[in-house]
Amino acid sequence: MEKFNRLNDLYFKKLLGDKKRKNLTLSFLNGILNKDDENYFTDITFLDKDNEPLLL
């Protein structure tokens, strides 16, 4: 098994930026933002994370 640096941005994107892990992402966001049982995120929309930068 390869060793991954868990502080790496690519690892973070793969773990929490994947539609297959939507529940994990919602749980993470609700946890770090101290959301309670009455005020919490129930859904999230993932945007295309591979956008090319705009060239002017």
Side-chain angles (χ1 to χ4, degrees), residues 22 26 29-30 40-46:
K22 184 186 245 186
L26 285 169
L29 290 174
N30 286 321
Y40 59 93
F41 295 113
T42 58
D43 197 17
I44 189 169
T45 302
F46 292 93

Side-chain angles (χ1 to χ4, degrees), residues 16 21-33 41:
L16 297 175
R21 295 183 185 91
K22 184 186 245 186
N23 288 337
L24 178 64
T25 305
L26 285 169
S27 179
F28 176 77
L29 290 174
N30 286 321
I32 64 167
L33 297 173
F41 295 113

Side-chain angles (χ1 to χ4, degrees), residues 1-3 6-8 10-11 15 17 19 22 24-26 28 30 32 34 39-40 43-44 46 50-52 54:
M1 179 179 215
E2 286 185 54
K3 301 254 184 202
R6 291 178 181 90
L7 299 176
N8 186 312
L10 294 175
Y11 180 82
L15 184 64
K19 293 177 187 175
K22 184 186 245 186
L24 178 64
T25 305
L26 285 169
F28 176 77
N30 286 321
I32 64 167
N34 295 319
N39 182 21
Y40 59 93
D43 197 17
I44 189 169
F46 292 93
D50 296 325
N51 289 333
E52 295 294 324
L54 296 174

